[in-house]
């Protein structure tokens, strides 16, 4: 350190760290302190110290390393002041001494993978996993997360606080799972990240924080930190192939446009090529899984001159082996109708009526297949129910157009 730093230089340095390295700092502190809330509090204490210390002594060579070291010491101080666990504080001090000498100058290990697996632990319900991941790894504010879920700030803040407390109570280790439990834990991580992507993809919010982009960032990070897992590659390929069609998803009239009717000139060919290459690499590993299959289905939807419905049907048969769920059955039935098996499709969908009675896409799919079967009155009723349950204006507008066609 040389000369004192001006306040504007300190603010810029701190903003840069928070924008680019907050996730790494929280992950590193959590790994060492074994407590997510303590890590966040310790980082906040370190940032306050940085404002005064850097003002006197100048910016450190490695602001991230400085904050990690000071944050670790602040965390230990909090343990000592707030608890009588002297042995725990002493153990943490040993960890601090072990790392302190090199934190100022050497690169900080990227331990966000540990944090992602902790935030997505199966002990938490799905919405809590998503909210906690967005808050701790992506650094979204509580207000931004609440807006994404059409919830209020207080409720989301309480959900995140409860999730942190639950991880602590359950004694969840902030570490990468062992090989024997890796598949089960990875599924929770991928389902969380894909849900984050889906929420962002269909969102009509004009916020500067793009949840779809955040999810792609996390999937790329996961792929980079664990570069040999075909399911991670499959999930990344799936979001890339879906994202490539984003500009064509909404028509000029504000209605959703299905892939087969989209303007292909609006598709991002570079992103499509990247997704296809990643998918091919995943398949070559010879360990098939549901996300690879879903990515292949997305790819087949973009076949020329129309979707390869026969191949899509075969893929849904493979997906059913991995995920025998009502939603997979519903989507597979829609494909059957596209292949001319309309009566069988209606039968399959009606069998799901009780299970999916509150699921909006069920009524949209049922209405479409009933229309293909010539059951117009029933189709209209299903469209009306789908419109009633629609969660965004583009989907509602699409369904209204379909209903209008039925009425004509």
């Amino acid at each position: 350190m040389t000369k004192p730093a001006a306040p504007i230089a300190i603010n810029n340095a701190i903003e840069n760290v928070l924008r680019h390295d907050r996730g790494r700092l929280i992950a590193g502190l959590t790994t060492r302190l074994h407590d997510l809330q303590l890590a966040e509090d310790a980082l906040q204490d370190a940032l306050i110290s940085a404002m005064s210390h850097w003002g006197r002594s100048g910016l450190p060579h490695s602001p991230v390393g400085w904050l990690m070291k000071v944050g670790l010491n602040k965390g230990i101080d909090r343990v000592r002041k707030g608890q009588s666990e002297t042995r725990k504080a002493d153990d943490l001090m040993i960890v601090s001494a072990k790392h302190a000498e090199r934190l100022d100058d050497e690169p900080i290990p990227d331990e966000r993978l540990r944090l992602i697996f902790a935030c997505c632990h199966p002990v938490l319900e799905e919405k809590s996993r998503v909210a906690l991941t967005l808050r701790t790894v992506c650094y979204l504010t509580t207000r931004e997360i609440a807006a994404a879920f059409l919830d209020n700030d207080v409720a989301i803040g309480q959900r995140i606080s409860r999730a942190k407390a639950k991880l602590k109570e359950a004694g969840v280790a902030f570490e990468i799972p062992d090989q024997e439990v890796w598949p089960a834990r990875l599924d929770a991580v991928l389902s969380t990240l894909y849900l984050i992507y889906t929420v962002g993809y269909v969102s009509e919010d004009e916020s500067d924080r793009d949840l779809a982009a955040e999810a792609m960032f996390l999937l790329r990070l996961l792929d980079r930190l664990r570069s040999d897992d075909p399911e991670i590659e499959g999930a990344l390929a799936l979001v890339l192939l879906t994202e490539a069609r984003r500009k064509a998803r909404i028509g000029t009239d504000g209605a959703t446009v299905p892939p087969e009717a989209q303007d292909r000139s609006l598709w991002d060919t570079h992103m499509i090529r990247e997704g296809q290459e990643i998918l091919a690499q995943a398949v070559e590993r010879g360990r098939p899984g549901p996300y690879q299959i879903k990515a292949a289905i997305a790819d087949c939807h973009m076949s020329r001159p129309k979707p390869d419905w026969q191949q899509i049907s075969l893929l849904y048969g493979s997906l059913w082996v991995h995920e025998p769920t009502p939603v997979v059955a519903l989507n597979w039935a829609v494909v059957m109708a596209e292949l001319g098996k309309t009566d069988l499709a209606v039968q399959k969908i009606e069998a799901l009526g009780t299970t999916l009675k509150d699921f909006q896409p069920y009524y949209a799919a049922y209405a479409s297949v009933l229309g293909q079967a010539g059951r117009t009155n029933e189709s209209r009723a299903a469209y009306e129910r789908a419109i009633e349950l629609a969660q965004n204006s583009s989907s509602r507008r699409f369904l209204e157009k379909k209903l209008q066609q039925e009425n004509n």
Side-chain angles (χ1 to χ4, degrees):
M1 300 181 211
T2 54
K3 58 182 181 179
I8 189 169
I10 297 173
N11 286 332
N12 288 341
I14 288 177
E15 287 181 6
N16 184 64
V17 168
L18 292 178
R19 186 180 302 110
H20 299 289
D21 295 295
R22 183 185 184 278
R24 291 176 59 212
L25 282 166
I26 290 296
L29 288 171
T30 302
T31 299
R32 291 163 176 79
L33 297 170
H34 313 296
D35 186 323
L36 177 54
Q37 185 60 60
L38 178 60
E40 291 189 330
D41 292 340
L43 177 57
Q44 187 62 37
D45 290 344
L47 290 169
I48 294 172
S49 292
M51 294 294 292
S52 59
H53 188 83
W54 295 356
R56 294 192 307 269
S57 305
L59 298 177
H61 174 70
S62 170
V64 175
W66 191 96
L67 288 168
M68 180 70 81
K69 181 171 72 174
V70 174
L72 185 55
N73 290 331
K74 294 291 186 181
I76 294 170
D77 288 343
R78 278 180 171 265
V79 171
R80 283 180 165 165
K81 291 177 181 177
Q83 303 178 23
S84 59
E85 299 179 25
T86 306
R87 182 174 179 180
K88 178 179 178 181
D90 289 343
D91 289 342
L92 290 175
M93 183 58 77
I94 293 174
V95 174
S96 175
K98 180 179 178 182
H99 293 279
E101 292 299 321
R102 59 184 177 82
L103 285 177
D104 272 337
D105 299 309
E106 294 188 11
I108 305 299
D110 195 332
E111 296 177 296
R112 279 174 290 185
L113 186 56
R114 296 172 185 261
L115 186 57
I116 291 172
F117 270 94
C119 291
C120 299
H121 195 283
V123 73
L124 301 178
E125 61 175 323
E126 189 173 71
K127 190 172 181 178
S128 295
R129 295 201 307 257
V130 173
L132 190 58
T133 302
L134 290 173
R135 181 74 190 101
T136 59
V137 186
C138 298
Y139 193 37
L140 267 68
T141 65
T142 302
R143 177 171 296 179
E144 288 170 329
I145 299 169
F149 286 100
L150 303 178
D151 211 332
N152 65 74
D153 300 7
V154 174
I156 288 295
Q158 292 174 341
R159 178 178 290 276
I160 292 172
S161 296
R162 287 195 300 269
K164 293 175 185 176
K166 195 166 187 177
L167 290 180
K168 186 175 182 178
E169 292 168 5
V172 172
F174 291 86
E175 60 187 16
I176 300 171
D178 294 333
Q179 289 298 322
E180 59 267 23
V181 297
W182 171 267
R185 290 287 300 279
L186 179 63
D187 182 64
V189 171
L190 293 180
S191 66
T192 298
L193 299 188
Y194 186 62
L195 180 57
I196 291 173
Y197 173 77
T198 302
V199 170
Y201 185 73
V202 302
S203 174
E204 297 176 347
D205 183 19
E206 297 298 327
S207 170
D208 292 336
R209 302 302 293 268
D210 185 344
L211 291 186
E214 298 286 354
M216 285 194 289
F217 159 75
L218 291 175
L219 283 168
R220 288 188 187 279
L221 172 65
L222 197 59
D223 183 51
R224 186 167 67 250
L225 298 177
R226 181 84 179 197
S227 59
D228 62 346
D229 193 293
E231 273 298 87
I232 296 174
E233 292 170 331
L236 178 56
L238 174 59
V239 300
L240 287 171
L241 293 171
T242 305
E243 184 68 15
R245 305 193 306 260
R246 179 192 279 267
K247 291 183 178 179
R249 190 178 75 87
I250 307 296
T252 56
D253 60 356
T256 302
V257 182
E260 59 270 21
Q262 289 176 0
D263 180 355
R264 291 173 179 261
S265 68
L266 297 176
W267 289 0
D268 187 328
T269 55
H270 174 76
M271 194 173 289
I272 291 172
R273 191 177 307 111
E274 182 186 7
Q276 290 172 333
E277 289 173 355
I278 292 173
L279 176 58
Q281 178 176 279
V283 172
E284 285 178 3
R285 299 189 190 281
R287 305 197 304 274
Y291 281 97
Q292 297 168 68
I293 297 170
K294 292 172 186 176
I297 290 172
D299 192 27
C300 286
H301 270 289
M302 294 186 288
S303 298
R304 293 178 182 274
K306 61 181 182 179
D308 187 345
W309 295 115
Q310 187 62 53
Q311 183 63 30
I312 292 173
S313 180
L314 293 173
L315 286 167
Y316 269 115
S318 299
L319 183 59
W320 180 258
V321 174
H322 294 275
E323 295 183 1
T325 66
V327 174
V328 171
L330 176 67
N331 292 333
W332 195 1
V334 171
V335 176
M336 291 177 187
E338 294 291 344
L339 290 171
K341 302 176 184 178
T342 310
D343 292 339
L344 177 60
V346 171
Q347 179 184 340
K348 295 285 187 182
I349 293 176
E350 288 179 339
L352 299 168
T354 301
T355 305
L356 298 179
K357 61 183 177 65
D358 297 319
F359 187 54
Q360 190 271 348
Y362 168 81
Y363 295 98
Y366 191 29
S368 177
V369 174
L370 285 171
Q372 293 177 57
R375 295 164 57 175
T376 306
N377 290 335
E378 294 168 276
S379 176
R380 290 172 184 159
Y383 272 126
E384 288 171 354
R385 179 58 175 156
I387 291 168
E388 181 184 340
L389 295 175
Q391 294 185 332
N392 58 69
S393 62
S394 58
S395 175
R396 187 177 302 108
R397 177 61 182 142
F398 168 76
L399 294 167
E400 287 171 346
K401 287 174 61 178
K402 297 292 288 185
L403 176 58
Q404 186 176 8
Q405 291 172 7
E406 289 288 341
N407 289 332
N408 293 337

